[in-house]
Amino acid sequence: MEENNKLPTSMWGKWWEPIRKWFYPGWLIYETSLRFYAYAISVYHYFLGDQEDLVFYIGKIATRALALFCSIFTFAVCTVFLTVPACFMLYHFFKTENLTGTFYEEKLKPIF
């Protein structure tokens, strides 16, 4: 009966368990950084391509500076408010044993 009470091991093997607490947050940082970079580039192109009236009022150089500032600001805000807290929570989720105390965590965490 006690042999049936064992939790399943990770499908990647025992070597994966100490690595996963760093891998998943790292992968999240990579993926969201690519997405937020694409958002920043879209903001930059929006200001340069779709706002001809803005060029008329503040000039070409000021429009480029505004576009650059807004794209960097978009990337920074998304990273600070979305990526960093999510990675911190994900790291603690895999580092702490039975963090939420739910049945689903006990079943799913060893698989991943």
Side-chain angles (χ1 to χ4, degrees):
M1 186 123 160
E2 294 204 10
E3 60 194 37
N4 293 335
N5 287 336
K6 293 181 182 176
L7 290 174
T9 59
S10 174
M11 65 181 163
W12 303 106
K14 285 281 189 197
W15 62 272
W16 177 250
E17 292 177 9
I19 296 172
R20 71 179 178 184
K21 67 181 177 184
W22 294 104
F23 175 76
Y24 289 125
W27 184 256
L28 181 64
I29 288 172
Y30 170 73
E31 283 294 324
T32 54
S33 295
L34 286 179
R35 299 295 173 246
F36 297 151
Y37 178 73
Y39 296 160
I41 293 296
S42 297
V43 168
Y44 182 78
H45 288 298
Y46 172 76
F47 275 111
L48 292 183
D50 297 338
Q51 299 297 320
E52 291 88 17
D53 294 335
L54 193 62
V55 174
F56 178 73
Y57 287 115
I58 64 174
K60 199 173 204 175
I61 294 174
T63 303
R64 285 195 180 272
L66 179 66
L68 184 63
F69 172 75
C70 288
S71 63
I72 290 171
F73 184 71
T74 301
F75 181 80
V77 165
C78 290
T79 300
V80 169
F81 289 108
L82 297 173
T83 305
V84 172
C87 290
F88 182 73
M89 290 186 313
L90 192 60
Y91 172 78
H92 277 293
F93 177 75
F94 282 108
K95 185 178 179 188
T96 307
E97 198 66 37
N98 203 0
L99 181 67
T100 60
T102 61
F103 173 74
Y104 297 111
E105 181 183 351
E106 290 178 14
K107 291 292 185 183
L108 292 177
K109 192 187 276 188
I111 295 171
F112 293 110

